[in-house]
Amino acid sequence: MRTSVILRAGAALALGLSAGCAVINRVSFEAPGATLTGVSVTGLGLKGGSLDLALDVYNPNAYELRSPRLVVTIDLEQSHFGEATLARPLHLPGKAHTTVTVPLSFTWEGVGAGARALLRKGSVNYGLTGRIVVEAPFGERTVILGTNGTVAVRDLVR
């Protein structure tokens, strides 16, 4: 009788582990992506200026991702322009786009072609790279972001 109880308990445990593994296998992770959708000039001065980068971040997963930090580097017209860090918590709902505004300060020294294009054209070519740490249901992951394209320059000094 005791052997029967042990066998049933073992079978129930094996069945439970099997079901748990099946659920974990169905919960997959896809990296979120980001696109630069706008640049707003928020200030200009003798030494440099400040911008707001508008990012469209898409979470392709069925579950919410949370992120404590986002770091991006932006190149304008193939010249390094700056790095921005957003250190406030982000909540990225599942299967949804989220607009994230990242402030960036820059100095005139070393920004060359990117700054000139930013001020004289209605758009600018960009390259965006970065990383975002996301907290998923099964642990923390660091995701590398990378995209390039052309974006409109809005609100030339508010």
Side-chain angles (χ1 to χ4, degrees):
M1 174 131 171
R2 183 177 164 112
T3 304
S4 174
V5 170
I6 291 173
L7 286 175
R8 281 190 222 152
L13 179 61
L15 184 61
L17 287 174
S18 174
C21 288
V23 169
I24 288 172
N25 285 336
R26 279 185 279 164
V27 177
S28 64
F29 175 80
E30 290 183 60
T35 304
L36 182 66
T37 58
V39 176
S40 296
V41 179
T42 57
L44 294 175
L46 293 175
K47 293 186 179 186
S50 58
L51 308 171
D52 279 344
L53 305 177
L55 301 177
D56 174 26
V57 181
Y58 178 67
N59 175 9
N61 300 289
Y63 46 86
E64 178 184 70
L65 296 174
R66 291 180 304 261
S67 173
R69 183 182 175 109
L70 168 72
V71 178
V72 293
T73 299
I74 187 163
D75 296 336
L76 299 179
E77 302 295 330
Q78 285 111 29
S79 294
H80 176 71
F81 194 77
E83 182 174 287
T85 300
L86 186 63
R88 68 173 171 78
L90 294 175
H91 296 277
L92 306 172
K95 300 280 185 195
H97 291 266
T98 303
T99 300
V100 178
T101 302
V102 182
L104 178 134
S105 296
F106 65 91
T107 61
W108 292 117
E109 189 177 324
V111 295
R116 284 192 300 278
L118 187 67
L119 294 173
R120 78 179 146 82
K121 296 188 336 182
S123 64
V124 65
N125 296 317
Y126 73 90
L128 181 81
T129 57
R131 64 189 180 284
I132 181 171
V133 175
V134 293
E135 298 166 356
F138 44 81
E140 186 176 280
R141 292 190 181 217
T142 299
V143 176
I144 303 302
L145 303 171
T147 186
N148 57 50
T150 302
V151 67
V153 180
R154 298 188 307 256
D155 303 332
L156 206 57
V157 187
R158 291 181 188 165

